[in-house]
Amino acid sequence: MTKGEVHIYRFGDFTLELHKHCLRKGHQQIHLRPKAFETLVFLVERQGRLVKKDELLDNLWSDIIVTENTLSQCIDAVRKALQDSAHKPLFIQTIPRLGFKFIAEVEELAHPAGELADIDHAVQVEKEKDHSSRKKPSFLLTLLTSKFRLALMALILIGLIAVTLIWESEEAYDSLAILPFINLNGESDQDYFADGMTEALIANMGKIKALRVISRTSVMTYKKAPKPLPEIARELGVAAIVEGSVLRADDRVRITATLINANTDQHLWVKTYQRDIHDILALQAELAQAIATEIQVELTQQEQANVAITNPVNPKAYGAYLKGRYFWNKRTSEGFEMAERQFLTAIEHDSSYAPAYAGLADTYTLLANYGLIPSKEATAKTKKYATRALQLDETLAEAHVALAVNLANDWNWSGAKKEFERAIALNPSYATAHHWYAVLLTNTGWSEKGIAELKKARELAPLSLRIQVDLGRAFYYARQYDQAIAQYQETLELDPNFAPAHSMLGLTLLEKGLHEQAMAELQEGMRLRTGTLSRLLGYAYAVAGNKEKAKKILTQWHERWNQWHDGATDIALIYVGLGDNDSAFKWLEKAYDQRDSELFSLKADPHWDTLRPEPRFQNLLHNMGLPIDKLTWKTK
């Protein structure tokens, strides 16, 4: 464009007015967001030649890092505005793997830029005239000149555009998914850092009560199996999505984040942040606050304070902590071992780094839940590390949850309830807090409240198979067996190889007297859990009348007890199936003395219904702080 001119391009039925940042079809203005408009202009000005993707990215996004997906979204927006087709293009042709070409004929119109200045001058002259002169016919004639009408129309149009932009910017979003950040270092051993940044942003945004933020567990599914954004949005049930990338060079970190309207697939906002790794918390806080502003979500004063935590961190401690979480999230024996090592390394670098203590507490919680170490050992260490974490930082929701589980295993139900509720208040979108709180509620007889919490957890982690199964377990504990079966079957539709769903389906069928089907499901669950010892299978064999196989499994559990002094509740359960109540109570007393975590479900689980009428069972519940009168079902 030469100086002193305003360029207008015409192609097909469309007019592109650069000076007004406007695309028209006839007299109708067609709205395009800034980057989409710039993309169209760039292609139109290079009509007839191939424009490579790199050329577009380098010129239109020179100051930030974006993926080709961002460019594709802009091209799609332009095609939509032009009512063009990627398969039979009239305007924009895709050259596979290379770029794009604007193929329509373009007519360039030029108007002197001074014409607009003349309009402004005429308006100013009329303003300087006195009131009486403005009433003269000559002034009315001036008003009717084409130039003045053009200026007036332009002002009205600018006003309409401004109003439109304001309306669009005021759209609020109540749900958000933060997809796994891309590791731009290109080295797999740096994946932990990109995953850590994703998890940190999820945790920060999760502190906002008015916003539903999808859990890490569900969004990480798309790291290895990416899908189109609208499809992801439908699967997760969200209104907005954040994509991002992370680049780390020594002690410098650069994060680029893009906010996308999940319904329209339009990019709403993109920004790049760079910080020294010492200031990584400040970067995370600034990013969370920026996204909250863009999606028009209101933060309370306390939420603003929680999100804005910006203490400097020790880079080595922070790096070790992120590695610990990376391995912890693998949920394997080897993963837990590596996680423990990394969290301890973080503490060596910074003994006051609270998240590392919370990570250790979480590690020992799951080691006990997975039966990898004795419950008594795990309980002591969980309490030690969770307490230390909260002494250093009371706002860590993860530490409150770990302490809650510890208190529940010690049968301090009211204390556990308080800690769960504190964790949820700090991070309302923390799916694990809702999930494990629901387990506490259902195991202590509050099935209705537990089911409500599990449904909330499922909203936050819609792809979590464990939450799906535990929702079925809640129906099972409430003796709603048909609903439990339907829930397990729904889970198996998501993953036919998820062992817990088969096992729980088998137990539920067993309660309905469908022994043959029950054994098939339990055996399938056992097959999928290679190398594990199933107390449930031993109990089921006994109930189904195959006492020989039940006793064989019982012997294996006795051997485990002799080695670890762990598994007393499992032994008691098999004795219940065999009808040996005296032996069952003997081992339940041992479990009580050991504070065995498997006793957690004693009040709710149908396994124990044959023991409920006995005073010994009621005394045991009473000693655990679980009075029998809160049961909402009849005993067998």
Side-chain angles (χ1 to χ4, degrees):
M1 187 187 304
T2 59
K3 188 176 180 181
E5 292 187 345
V6 178
H7 276 204
I8 299 175
Y9 297 104
R10 183 179 296 155
F11 45 88
D13 296 332
F14 296 92
T15 304
L16 188 63
E17 303 178 32
L18 271 61
H19 65 290
K20 295 181 181 179
H21 205 85
C22 176
L23 173 67
R24 297 180 185 279
K25 184 177 183 181
H27 296 294
Q28 178 189 2
Q29 180 180 341
I30 299 170
H31 174 65
L32 276 174
R33 289 193 174 275
K35 280 298 178 187
F37 185 86
E38 290 176 27
T39 302
L40 175 59
V41 172
F42 198 86
L43 292 173
V44 166
E45 289 182 338
R46 291 153 183 81
Q47 185 272 340
R49 80 167 178 84
L50 168 65
V51 179
K52 293 185 177 181
K53 293 179 182 179
D54 288 346
E55 183 180 356
L56 279 162
L57 291 170
D58 291 343
N59 282 274
L60 301 183
W61 289 276
S62 58
D63 57 337
I64 60 174
I65 299 173
V66 297
T67 65
E68 285 190 10
N69 183 55
T70 301
L71 173 59
S72 297
Q73 299 296 335
C74 282
I75 294 292
D76 289 344
V78 173
R79 281 197 173 116
K80 184 177 180 181
L82 299 178
Q83 298 177 325
D84 200 13
S85 167
H87 303 293
K88 296 181 179 180
L90 297 175
F91 299 101
I92 299 176
Q93 179 184 6
T94 299
I95 310 300
R97 297 185 298 278
L98 294 177
F100 307 94
K101 182 188 293 186
F102 196 87
I103 58 176
E105 291 294 325
V106 176
E107 180 184 3
E108 184 176 357
L109 309 175
H111 294 281
E115 185 174 303
L116 296 180
D118 290 344
I119 296 172
D120 293 336
H121 177 70
V123 173
Q124 183 62 34
V125 168
E126 296 305 330
K127 284 183 178 179
E128 292 174 356
K129 292 183 179 181
D130 59 32
H131 182 72
S132 59
S133 66
R134 281 189 275 117
K135 292 182 180 179
K136 294 179 181 179
S138 60
F139 176 63
L140 293 177
L141 290 173
T142 304
L143 286 176
L144 295 177
T145 62
S146 60
K147 289 184 179 181
F148 189 89
R149 288 201 304 273
L150 178 61
L152 184 60
M153 289 174 65
L155 289 172
I156 292 173
L157 181 59
I158 291 169
L160 289 173
I161 294 172
V163 170
T164 301
L165 292 174
I166 291 171
W167 283 347
E168 289 184 355
S169 66
E170 289 182 350
E171 183 177 358
Y173 300 84
D174 62 357
S175 52
L176 179 71
I178 300 165
L179 298 184
F181 280 16
I182 297 170
N183 168 25
L184 292 180
N185 288 79
E187 300 170 358
S188 60
D189 62 356
Q190 289 294 308
D191 281 353
Y192 78 91
F193 195 83
D195 289 356
M197 294 299 96
T198 307
E199 191 166 358
L201 183 56
I202 290 171
N204 265 355
M205 299 304 298
K207 296 174 183 177
I208 304 170
K209 188 175 182 179
L211 187 64
R212 177 170 60 87
V213 183
I214 300 301
S215 75
R216 176 201 181 281
T217 306
S218 289
V219 297
M220 281 297 171
T221 303
Y222 302 105
K223 183 176 181 179
K224 293 183 179 179
K227 296 181 179 180
L229 294 185
E231 186 177 345
I232 293 174
R234 285 193 299 272
E235 290 181 356
L236 299 179
V238 294
I241 287 176
V242 172
E243 287 186 312
S245 60
V246 179
L247 180 64
R248 181 181 178 183
D250 297 324
D251 284 345
R252 294 291 294 176
V253 179
R254 181 170 70 181
I255 293 180
T256 298
T258 305
L259 180 66
I260 303 159
N261 182 319
N263 295 321
T264 64
D265 212 9
Q266 291 180 319
H267 287 57
L268 306 175
W269 167 88
V270 60
K271 192 167 183 180
T272 295
Y273 299 83
Q274 295 192 58
R275 290 285 191 284
D276 187 280
I277 196 169
H278 292 82
D279 300 320
I280 192 69
L281 297 185
L283 185 158
Q284 293 166 359
E286 186 178 347
L287 177 55
Q289 290 170 328
I291 293 172
T293 298
E294 289 297 321
I295 61 179
Q296 302 290 318
V297 65
E298 293 186 10
L299 279 68
T300 66
Q301 288 185 345
Q302 185 59 56
E303 288 170 345
Q304 290 175 348
N306 290 341
V307 169
I309 295 173
T310 58
N311 298 328
V313 297
N314 180 305
K316 292 183 179 179
Y318 186 70
Y321 169 74
L322 291 186
K323 287 181 181 178
R325 280 296 177 190
Y326 178 80
F327 288 114
W328 182 83
N329 281 310
K330 290 181 179 294
R331 299 293 205 274
T332 63
S333 176
E334 295 78 10
F336 292 137
E337 182 180 347
M338 290 296 297
E340 179 187 21
R341 189 180 306 169
Q342 291 297 331
F343 291 139
L344 289 171
T345 299
I347 291 170
E348 288 176 6
H349 289 300
D350 183 356
S351 60
S352 65
Y353 190 53
Y357 292 98
L360 283 170
D362 282 344
T363 300
Y364 285 110
T365 296
L366 290 189
L367 282 170
N369 286 353
Y370 283 49
L372 297 173
I373 63 173
S375 298
K376 195 171 185 179
E377 176 188 346
T379 298
K381 290 187 175 181
T382 299
K383 183 177 181 180
K384 171 186 174 182
Y385 290 120
T387 301
R388 180 58 179 153
L390 292 174
Q391 287 172 346
L392 294 167
D393 185 354
E394 198 277 336
T395 68
L396 285 177
E398 296 89 345
H400 283 285
V401 168
L403 185 57
V405 173
N406 180 267
L407 291 168
N409 287 337
D410 202 32
W411 308 328
N412 182 346
W413 314 113
S414 61
K417 180 175 181 289
K418 179 180 177 182
E419 291 298 327
F420 276 126
E421 290 176 349
R422 177 61 178 150
I424 291 170
L426 287 167
N427 189 338
S429 287
Y430 187 24
T432 300
H434 291 280
H435 179 192
W436 289 359
Y437 185 30
V439 171
L440 170 73
L441 292 169
T442 55
N443 282 349
T444 53
W446 301 100
S447 297
E448 208 171 301
K449 292 182 180 179
I451 289 170
E453 281 294 325
L454 277 163
K455 288 180 178 179
K456 176 65 175 176
R458 186 173 60 176
E459 288 179 3
L460 297 167
L463 304 184
S464 168
L465 297 173
R466 176 58 66 179
I467 290 174
Q468 298 279 1
V469 165
D470 281 347
L471 179 56
R473 190 194 305 267
F475 290 127
Y476 171 71
Y477 285 171
R479 280 53 173 181
Q480 299 173 21
Y481 296 134
D482 290 340
Q483 287 177 269
I485 290 170
Q487 180 61 38
Y488 299 137
Q489 290 172 338
E490 182 179 331
T491 306
L492 289 171
E493 287 177 5
L494 295 172
D495 184 355
N497 295 318
F498 192 56
H502 285 288
S503 298
M504 286 306 303
L505 177 56
L507 286 177
T508 309
L509 293 168
L510 194 69
E511 290 298 322
K512 288 177 69 70
L514 302 172
H515 293 173
E516 187 175 342
Q517 296 176 43
M519 292 307 302
E521 291 294 338
L522 285 162
Q523 288 167 348
E524 178 65 5
M526 184 68 175
R527 184 188 69 80
L528 292 167
R529 288 185 174 190
T530 305
T532 62
L533 182 60
S534 175
R535 67 191 176 101
L536 301 179
L537 196 57
Y539 168 75
Y541 278 132
V543 171
N546 194 335
K547 295 189 176 183
E548 184 178 343
K549 287 188 176 181
K551 288 178 180 179
K552 184 177 179 180
I553 293 177
L554 180 62
T555 299
Q556 294 173 327
W557 276 101
H558 275 292
E559 291 172 355
R560 177 187 171 101
W561 171 263
N562 292 334
Q563 181 181 358
W564 280 11
H565 277 266
D566 191 47
T569 306
D570 306 280
I571 294 171
L573 178 62
I574 298 174
Y575 277 122
V576 167
L578 291 168
D580 186 349
N581 287 1
D582 288 338
S583 294
F585 276 114
K586 172 187 172 182
W587 284 95
L588 284 174
E589 290 296 337
K590 288 180 182 289
Y592 176 87
D593 293 337
Q594 291 285 320
R595 285 295 196 271
D596 190 346
S597 61
E598 292 294 340
L599 277 182
F600 196 49
S601 61
L602 188 67
K603 178 175 180 176
D605 201 321
H607 296 334
W608 311 105
D609 282 359
T610 57
L611 302 184
R612 295 189 192 282
E614 295 203 30
R616 287 180 292 179
F617 189 84
Q618 296 179 30
N619 288 337
L620 184 58
L621 287 180
H622 177 76
N623 292 338
M624 292 177 63
L626 293 170
I628 196 76
D629 59 355
K630 286 186 180 177
L631 288 172
T632 57
W633 52 82
K634 295 180 180 179
T635 57
K636 292 182 181 178

